[in-house]
């Protein structure tokens, strides 16, 4: 397929549209259709694709998102760098609603999700550092320019769709987790298998159950906080896109060199 975009944004809960004056592309893949048609527009001189992770009507719960189709479709239209904003729960008191984290590590606590394109043969991919170092540094620099501190941290990815118990939440914190999420895996590892530079941008919408004292988080609270911060997130994303290097970080671009049969 002719290259349509080299950067993509996969929108999380509450971010179902991003680009103005965009053209829409209905795509298919060997793994079925992606979550929604992909929209493409030019942002700061960069051809940019946008795909809502859950679908624009939020019809896919975290464990049913067609992750393989989503990443494959973006790679097929020429994408080499992916920005992946998502809603997360904070696992530390200082990571309250409205704060940002740019994860540098991931702990997978999902179960039953297909997490590879290699359905046959013994193939292993280097995943020691799940996220693009250049993408992370770019996001943090742009966010700081907008007065937003976006620190490092480990993202714990749980199966969902339920939220954590207090005991689980405290356990994730003891593991070294900073935030908890339901969609960051297998998205990140599938991007790595396709040699896509992948950068997660986590917006904290709540303190997780083991951190706050009076009540557990509700879905309504998550969407309310995300909506209140969508404009800030959108501003950062639209400034990050043209600031990304035209040639992706070598550690991701050549990730397939690390695959061992």
């Amino acid at each position: 397929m002719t290259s349509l975009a080299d950067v993509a944004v996969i929108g999380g809960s509450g971010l179902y549209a991003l680009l103005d004056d965009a053209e829409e592309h209905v795509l298919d893949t060997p793994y079925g259709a992606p979550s929604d048609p992909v929209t493409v527009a030019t942002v700061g001189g960069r051809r940019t694709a946008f795909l809502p992770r859950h679908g624009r009507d939020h019809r896919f719960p975290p464990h049913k998102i067609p992750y393989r189709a989503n990443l494959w479709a973006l790679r097929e239209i020429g994408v080499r760098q992916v920005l992946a904003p998502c809603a997360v729960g904070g696992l530390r008191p200082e990571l309250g609603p409205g704060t940002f984290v740019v994860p540098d590590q991931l702990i997978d606590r999902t179960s039953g999700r297909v997490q590879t394109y290699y359905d046959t043969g013994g193939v292993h991919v280097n995943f020691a550092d799940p996220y693009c170092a250049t993408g992370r540094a770019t996001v943090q620099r742009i966010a700081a320019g907008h007065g937003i501190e976006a620190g490092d941290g480990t993202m714990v990815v749980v199966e969902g769709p339920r939220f954590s118990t207090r005991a689980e939440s405290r356990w994730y914190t003891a593991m070294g987790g900073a935030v908890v999420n339901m969609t960051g895996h297998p998205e990140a590892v599938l991007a790595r298998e396709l040699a896509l530079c992948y950068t997660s941008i986590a917006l904290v919408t709540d303190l997780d159950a083991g951190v706050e004292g009076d009540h557990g988080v509700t879905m309504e609270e998550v969407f309310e906080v995300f909506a209140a911060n969508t404009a800030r997130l959108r501003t950062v994303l639209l400034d990050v896109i043209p600031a990304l290097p035209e040639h992706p970080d070598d550690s991701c671009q050549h990730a397939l060199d690390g695959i061992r049969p």
Side-chain angles (χ1 to χ4, degrees):
M1 179 180 287
T2 302
S3 179
L4 299 176
D6 68 318
V7 178
V9 176
I10 302 177
S13 296
L15 187 63
Y16 307 119
L18 177 70
L19 307 174
D20 297 324
D21 300 320
E23 58 200 41
E24 189 172 277
H25 297 270
V26 178
L27 304 172
D28 198 11
T29 79
Y31 306 97
S35 296
D36 231 36
V38 176
T39 54
V40 179
T42 300
V43 177
R46 301 289 297 273
R47 293 292 287 170
T48 304
F50 177 78
L51 176 62
R53 183 182 289 117
H54 296 274
R56 68 189 72 182
D57 56 357
H58 207 103
R59 65 189 177 278
F60 292 108
H63 61 298
K64 294 293 186 179
I65 291 170
Y67 294 102
R68 291 202 294 182
N70 287 351
L71 274 300
W72 190 274
L74 294 176
R75 182 66 164 77
E76 281 288 285
I77 64 171
V79 168
R80 295 297 179 269
Q81 298 177 83
V82 175
L83 298 171
C86 59
V88 301
L91 291 171
R92 303 174 187 164
E94 67 271 20
L95 296 177
T99 58
F100 285 78
V101 174
V102 184
D104 57 350
Q105 279 297 318
L106 179 153
I107 296 174
D108 173 29
R109 292 294 303 163
T110 65
S111 60
R113 300 184 186 187
V114 179
Q115 56 179 294
T116 183
Y117 291 105
Y118 294 95
D119 291 330
T120 60
V123 178
H124 309 280
V125 62
N126 186 327
F127 199 54
D129 297 297
Y131 305 106
C132 174
T134 300
R136 293 184 61 258
T138 303
V139 170
Q140 290 176 318
R141 174 172 58 82
I142 296 297
H146 288 285
I148 300 171
E149 181 181 354
D152 303 329
T154 295
M155 183 157 71
V156 180
V157 185
V158 299
E159 180 67 11
R162 69 170 178 84
F163 294 116
S164 305
T165 67
R166 295 188 192 279
E168 288 169 334
S169 179
R170 294 179 184 121
W171 181 37
Y172 303 149
T173 304
M175 285 182 184
V179 294
V180 60
N181 163 265
M182 298 180 188
T183 59
H185 187 85
E187 197 170 270
V189 72
L190 293 172
R192 177 57 54 86
E193 288 189 350
L194 295 178
L196 300 176
C197 291
Y198 181 91
T199 305
S200 179
I201 307 170
L203 170 61
V204 179
T205 57
D206 59 277
L207 287 174
D208 211 45
V211 182
E212 61 181 351
D214 56 347
H215 71 285
V217 63
T218 68
M219 186 175 68
E220 290 75 19
E221 289 171 333
V222 169
F223 284 123
E224 181 180 348
V225 173
F226 201 98
N229 288 275
T230 297
R232 297 168 68 217
L233 177 60
R234 188 177 190 275
T235 297
V236 170
L237 286 169
L238 294 179
D239 283 352
V240 167
I241 289 166
L244 289 171
E246 292 188 12
H247 301 288
D249 185 89
D250 285 348
S251 67
C252 292
Q253 182 65 16
H254 301 299
L256 296 187
D257 292 343
I259 288 182
R260 299 192 305 275

